[in-house]
């Protein structure tokens, strides 16, 4: 992709995780800043979310957080971002993250990360967008999920071509090479459809 200016990162908000996942989030934040790519994410200051944002900011990067009011009220928003957008709902947050991003990168996470990742893949399957999606399989974290995708294909619930909706890399450093080789999106996004 030649015109990559912003990347949405989906990742966990838990801090009770192994250092290998924290290190990956830190590396991704630094890498985005180093490449001059704006980080768009969920606006939290905790877990991998906070780490990726802090690393991008510390490296001189631009960071946009998009957080729903009900999560902000729990006082978990990051207050040192380039821009923090407070929205009325999770649905508005997700739509705005799509609108403001050229590509999506998935780090390890929990239910929220799965929700966001599968929704963005479903939208891509339905041709509501054709932006790149890169899954970072840090230390084999996503291997069981990738096995489930293969099982869904084998059982006829997904088409084999759906495996091409996303790219899998093992290391954060490989994210930027994967994104560089993605074709330019060609679909015109209509927010009201999302």
């Amino acid at each position: 992709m030649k015109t990559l200016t912003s990347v949405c990162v989906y990742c966990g908000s838990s801090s009770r995780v192994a250092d290998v996942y924290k290190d990956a989030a830190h590396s991704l934040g630094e890498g985005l800043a180093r490449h001059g790519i704006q980080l768009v994410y969920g606006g939290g200051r905790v877990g991998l979310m906070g780490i990726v944002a802090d690393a991008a900011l510390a490296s001189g990067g631009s960071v946009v957080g998009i957080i729903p009011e009900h999560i902000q009220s729990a006082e978990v928003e990051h207050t040192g971002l380039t821009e923090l957008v407070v929205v009325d709902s999770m649905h508005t947050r997700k739509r705005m993250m799509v609108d403001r991003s050229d590509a999506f990168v998935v780090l390890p996470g929990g239910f929220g990360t799965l929700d966001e990742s599968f929704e963005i893949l479903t939208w891509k399957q339905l041709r509501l967008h054709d932006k790149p999606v890169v899954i970072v399989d840090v230390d084999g974290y996503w291997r069981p999920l990738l096995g489930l995708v293969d099982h869904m294909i084998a059982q006829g619930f997904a088409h084999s071509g759906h495996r091409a909706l996303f790219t899998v890399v093992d290391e954060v450093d490989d994210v930027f090479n994967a994104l560089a080789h993605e074709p330019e999106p060609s679909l015109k996004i209509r927010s009201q459809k999302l």
Side-chain angles (χ1 to χ4, degrees), residues 10-181:
Y10 299 133
C11 61
S13 60
S14 174
S15 299
R16 302 177 311 275
V17 299
D19 286 344
V20 67
Y21 306 128
K22 295 175 183 178
D23 293 344
H26 190 272
S27 294
L28 182 58
E30 281 185 339
L32 289 168
R34 189 173 58 250
H35 286 86
I37 300 170
Q38 182 178 69
L39 166 64
V40 176
Y41 84 117
R45 62 174 166 76
V46 293
L48 301 191
M49 292 176 71
I51 292 170
V52 71
D54 286 340
L57 290 166
S59 298
S62 174
V63 180
V64 175
I66 303 171
I67 193 166
E69 292 168 335
H70 73 279
I71 295 178
Q72 183 201 27
S73 67
E75 299 181 354
V76 295
E77 84 271 16
H78 197 303
T79 57
L81 304 178
T82 310
E83 180 183 359
L84 180 66
V85 181
V86 181
V87 296
D88 62 345
S89 69
M90 293 292 284
H91 295 292
T92 302
R93 174 205 226 179
K94 291 176 183 180
R95 188 186 70 242
M96 189 175 288
M97 290 169 90
V98 171
D99 290 344
R100 297 196 59 172
S101 302
D102 298 321
F104 306 89
V105 174
V106 182
L107 288 176
F111 289 146
T113 304
L114 282 172
D115 170 56
E116 292 167 327
S117 302
F118 270 98
E119 186 164 52
I120 204 65
L121 288 171
T122 302
W123 291 355
K124 190 170 183 178
Q125 175 189 336
L126 296 173
R127 297 195 45 79
L128 295 175
H129 79 89
D130 60 349
K131 298 177 183 183
V133 179
V134 178
I135 297 173
V136 189
D137 189 25
V138 179
D139 202 33
Y141 181 81
W142 292 118
R143 205 164 296 143
L145 178 68
L146 298 172
L148 177 59
V149 170
D150 289 339
H151 178 69
M152 289 162 53
I153 291 169
Q155 296 302 313
F157 287 99
H159 188 275
S160 60
H162 293 161
R163 201 59 153 75
L165 294 172
F166 58 91
T167 301
V168 180
V169 299
D170 294 327
E171 305 289 335
V172 168
D173 289 343
D174 298 330
V175 167
F176 302 100
N177 187 47
L179 290 172
H181 287 91

